[in-house]
Amino acid sequence: MQYIETIKKSFLFFPLIALLITIPFIISNYHKYGSIHKLRVFIIYSFVLYLLTIYFLVILPLPSIEEVRNLTTPTMNLIPFSFVVDFIKESPLIITEPSTYLLALKHSSFYVVIFNIFMTIPFGMYLKYYYKCSFKKTLLISFLLSLFFELTQLSGLYFIYPRAYRLFDVDDLILNTTGGIIGFGLMSIIDKYLPSRDKIDNESREQGRIVSPLRKLTITFLDLFLYLILLTILTLTIGNRHTIIVSFILYYLIIPLILNGATLASKFLNVKKSFNRHPLINTIIHPLFKVFYYFILPYLPLAFIFYFNNLFNNLFIKIIFTFSGVAIIPLFYIINLILLFKEKNMFYDKYFNLEYKSTIK
């Protein structure tokens, strides 16, 4: 029952972890492949959920600090294969009596050992299938994962607790590593029935030759993020009131001229931008228009509402107008997101005659 509760907690916590890794995952995939393969998404996110689950199984439930301070139990077991001796001593198994077999399987001296092996079988399978690790590498990484878990316990959850609240056990190192090796062996048998990593990579690169709407969106916001970093650096170092203009010219004009039409973000994500008409003028006006369109235009109604609210004495009308102005902002972004994925090219890209070309080979 304790294991089930811990697994439930990992599923509840997973959306937060998924949110934290999504942007790096998108950027890294567009950089390497130019696309995001659905099977890769499933593999990576299921692997993250699996790692989160076994980590929670290692550290949970968390006792109180006072409870740990009063513990007098040993913190380490450095004698290998103690689990065999424990099973012989504690298990109700009597070889000559079949009625004790089921009781032995249910006894903690048996199921805890099996659990420690089963816990890392998927780890070995992921390493063999997706990361294409050799037997030796799988053995080493499985051991290091187990060592990390054991040191986490020995350190009292990285010294949050005054002492270890769970046992550092050399047997766990042996059992967890064994689980990783078993997982490697199982995947060696079944991976021929699954799409290979090379096939996933090749399909990703094939898809990456087309610049998807999400890829364009990623370029836009990564460019904005990098531009803001440049603006911040120039503001802190130079402190001139013209830094916003200087940084804009540097990022959106000078750098694309140097990089043959690419911004830092589009270069990193393997996309070349080309304006078929008035390239120099459009290189400047296009990003300016996007800044106005996405970061000024949707907020103008709210600004007008705040200004004209002073003309009304009725509180109800003020609330309605303010709510309407606030509601327009997310609605604006949702509509534009739908248009982007439906039309593939936004109206301003068509107007400026901007063409996105993938440089993925």
Side-chain angles (χ1 to χ4, degrees):
M1 181 60 98
Q2 178 186 316
Y3 294 151
I4 294 172
E5 287 302 315
T6 302
I7 292 170
K8 284 180 181 178
K9 287 176 182 177
S10 69
F11 272 83
L12 289 172
F13 198 77
F14 174 69
L16 176 60
I17 300 297
L19 185 65
L20 292 174
I21 69 168
T22 292
I23 291 176
F25 175 75
I26 289 172
I27 291 173
S28 64
N29 272 263
Y30 280 140
H31 169 65
K32 194 170 183 180
Y33 307 106
S35 69
I36 300 172
H37 199 286
K38 291 179 182 176
L39 183 55
R40 196 190 309 278
V41 172
F42 172 76
I43 292 169
I44 296 299
Y45 278 81
S46 64
F47 187 46
V48 170
L49 175 59
Y50 159 72
L51 289 176
L52 180 65
T53 300
I54 61 173
Y55 181 72
F56 275 15
L57 287 168
V58 168
I59 67 168
L60 297 180
L62 295 175
S64 67
I65 291 179
E66 188 61 33
E67 199 178 336
V68 174
R69 189 177 285 115
N70 294 329
L71 287 176
T72 56
T73 54
T75 58
M76 288 191 292
N77 168 44
L78 300 178
I79 303 172
F81 302 105
S82 297
F83 65 89
V84 177
V85 177
D86 292 340
F87 180 77
I88 293 170
K89 286 182 177 179
E90 299 173 14
S91 170
L93 176 68
I94 301 174
I95 299 294
T96 56
E97 295 184 19
S99 60
T100 63
Y101 292 177
L102 185 58
L103 292 173
L105 294 177
K106 292 180 178 179
H107 195 269
S108 61
S109 62
F110 178 80
Y111 74 71
V112 169
V113 171
I114 296 302
F115 169 78
N116 275 299
I117 295 174
F118 271 69
M119 189 172 77
T120 50
I121 287 177
F123 187 69
M125 296 176 77
Y126 277 106
L127 292 182
K128 171 69 171 68
Y129 173 60
Y130 185 75
Y131 295 101
K132 298 197 292 186
C133 291
S134 64
F135 176 83
K136 289 182 180 178
K137 200 169 183 180
T138 302
L139 174 67
L140 175 62
I141 297 174
S142 297
F143 172 78
L144 291 175
L145 177 72
S146 180
L147 182 61
F148 167 71
F149 288 154
E150 295 305 307
L151 291 176
T152 297
Q153 294 175 336
L154 182 63
S155 65
L157 196 57
Y158 322 118
F159 307 104
I160 293 174
Y161 289 96
R163 54 154 281 165
Y165 63 92
R166 286 192 179 181
L167 186 71
F168 176 99
D169 197 340
V170 70
D171 281 345
D172 288 348
L173 292 174
I174 296 169
L175 296 170
N176 292 159
T177 306
T178 301
I181 295 168
I182 293 172
F184 179 91
L186 288 174
M187 186 50 70
S188 299
I189 297 170
I190 65 175
D191 65 353
K192 58 185 175 183
Y193 302 106
L194 301 172
S196 69
R197 169 68 186 273
D198 291 335
K199 183 180 179 181
I200 295 171
D201 290 349
N202 290 334
E203 287 179 356
S204 297
R205 292 190 183 96
E206 190 65 33
Q207 295 169 7
R209 289 172 186 164
I210 300 170
V211 183
S212 66
L214 182 58
R215 197 167 167 193
K216 294 175 185 176
L217 194 65
T218 305
I219 290 169
T220 297
F221 282 95
L222 183 56
D223 269 331
L224 178 64
F225 177 71
L226 294 174
Y227 164 71
L228 291 174
I229 290 176
L230 177 62
L231 175 60
T232 303
I233 292 170
L234 290 178
T235 302
L236 292 174
T237 54
I238 300 173
N240 193 293
R241 60 182 178 179
H242 300 301
T243 49
I244 189 168
I245 299 171
V246 173
S247 57
F248 187 88
I249 292 172
L250 276 173
Y251 192 86
Y252 286 104
L253 180 60
I254 305 299
I255 291 175
L257 287 174
I258 296 170
L259 297 179
N260 195 24
T263 58
L264 289 177
S266 62
K267 182 74 174 177
F268 186 75
L269 300 180
N270 297 295
V271 174
K272 181 182 176 182
K273 297 178 181 179
S274 60
F275 295 97
N276 296 323
R277 289 198 312 265
H278 313 297
L280 186 59
I281 296 172
N282 287 347
T283 298
I284 301 171
I285 297 175
H286 181 263
L288 278 173
F289 177 82
K290 286 173 72 174
V291 169
F292 169 78
Y293 184 72
Y294 285 112
F295 300 102
I296 298 176
L297 182 63
Y299 298 91
L300 286 178
L302 190 59
F304 282 119
I305 286 168
F306 282 145
Y307 177 77
F308 286 109
N309 259 353
N310 296 325
L311 302 177
F312 299 100
N313 294 321
N314 190 305
L315 180 61
F316 178 74
I317 294 176
K318 287 185 177 183
I319 292 172
I320 293 297
F321 269 74
T322 304
F323 178 78
S324 301
V326 171
I328 286 171
I329 297 170
L331 185 62
F332 172 85
Y333 290 116
I334 291 168
I335 290 171
N336 277 276
L337 198 61
I338 293 169
L339 286 173
L340 176 63
F341 281 89
K342 184 180 179 182
E343 301 295 330
K344 308 301 181 184
N345 273 330
M346 293 297 286
F347 70 90
Y348 47 78
D349 289 338
K350 294 177 183 176
Y351 178 80
F352 288 103
N353 207 15
L354 172 62
E355 187 178 354
Y356 293 87
K357 296 178 181 177
S358 177
T359 58
I360 288 288
K361 296 180 181 179

